[in-house]
Amino acid sequence: MTRRRAAILISGRGSNMAALLAAMADPAFPAEAALVLSNDPAANGLETARAAGVPAEAVDHRAFRGDRPAFEAAMGERLAAHGADLVCLAGFMRLLTPGFVASWRDRMVNIHPSLLPAFPGLRTHERALEAGVAFHGCTVHLVRPEMDSGPILGQAMLGVKPGEAPDDLAARVLALEHRLYPAALSAFLRGELRPEGERILPGPLALAG
Ligand code: GRF
């Protein structure tokens, strides 16, 4: 099996990145870590990646003064320089243009901290609690131009505890994210999950916390 060359895009802490790097350190995992790339040179995850021996670079979006295509071209140049053929978004907090997303169609994945299509966007745990849901969780999906949308590769869910605080719920979901992301990515890259239109066949990977 030829392993794919993954670039992991981050903006901050990088705990999902660390979970992916740990999985990719196993030669049996269907992707190897080619690069960790951040839009913020101060992202803590860059140090974590370097400590793991993975090239880690930043393309500071602020230098492009809102010129999103120029920012993406600079990122694309770094992805090409490291031979990346897969992009894993892991807490990457910049919106991407439809053109950039199209150029990585079915080769770009994201993790989102809710059970999509519920609660796209930010503050997902607070909003889930405000909505009074019984179940919450996280989703790994292929990336489409609309934010937090795209064919669902896997979901992990847990039951919300009565009176649970947002931070406690976030921590429990994050632990699930760290299990789900490598598992869903592996199943996709091995061809066990395949996109058919806007759905994944035979069906998304399901984990329960
Ligand atoms: C995670 O909750 C992820 O689902 C969301 O942003 C957060 C990033 O956390 N997209 P980390 O940087 O992976 O620790």
Side-chain angles (χ1 to χ4, degrees):
M1 177 190 63
T2 312
R3 300 176 81 199
R4 300 282 291 272
R5 286 186 57 76
I8 305 172
L9 270 53
I10 65 169
S11 295
R13 168 179 64 181
S15 71
N16 278 290
M17 171 211 76
L20 288 174
L21 292 183
M24 291 173 186
D26 179 351
F29 193 86
E32 62 183 334
L35 172 67
V36 169
L37 191 57
S38 174
N39 63 294
D40 180 358
N44 288 329
L46 290 172
E47 278 311 310
T48 311
R50 289 185 191 118
V54 174
E57 301 180 4
V59 174
D60 190 342
H61 69 277
R62 289 164 295 205
F64 297 87
R65 300 173 180 276
D67 185 344
R68 221 175 273 275
F71 166 62
E72 290 172 347
M75 285 202 303
E77 193 271 321
R78 299 320 302 150
L79 297 176
H82 288 271
D85 59 8
L86 174 75
V87 170
C88 303
L89 304 179
F92 183 71
M93 300 303 285
R94 307 302 301 170
L95 291 175
L96 297 168
T97 65
F100 187 81
V101 172
S103 71
W104 288 93
R105 187 179 172 90
D106 293 346
R107 300 186 304 153
M108 181 155 62
V109 292
N110 181 43
I111 186 155
H112 181 74
S114 77
L115 294 172
L116 291 173
F119 312 118
L122 300 175
R123 296 181 55 251
T124 56
H125 310 303
E126 288 90 337
R127 288 160 57 213
L129 290 169
E130 280 160 21
V133 297
F135 294 101
H136 185 47
C138 52
T139 302
V140 172
H141 62 96
L142 294 175
V143 176
R144 295 291 183 258
E146 196 183 330
M147 184 185 65
D148 299 328
S149 77
I152 292 173
L153 294 170
Q155 294 190 304
M157 70 157 202
L158 47 68
V160 177
K161 295 178 182 171
E164 187 161 18
D167 285 356
D168 294 337
L169 182 58
R172 291 201 300 132
V173 172
L174 190 64
L176 277 184
E177 293 184 43
H178 299 160
R179 284 172 52 203
L180 179 68
Y181 207 166
L185 182 63
S186 173
F188 174 60
L189 295 179
R190 291 180 195 282
E192 294 160 13
L193 303 173
R194 59 183 195 284
E196 174 98 1
E198 289 310 294
R199 301 231 316 256
I200 293 294
L201 297 181
L205 183 72
L207 293 183

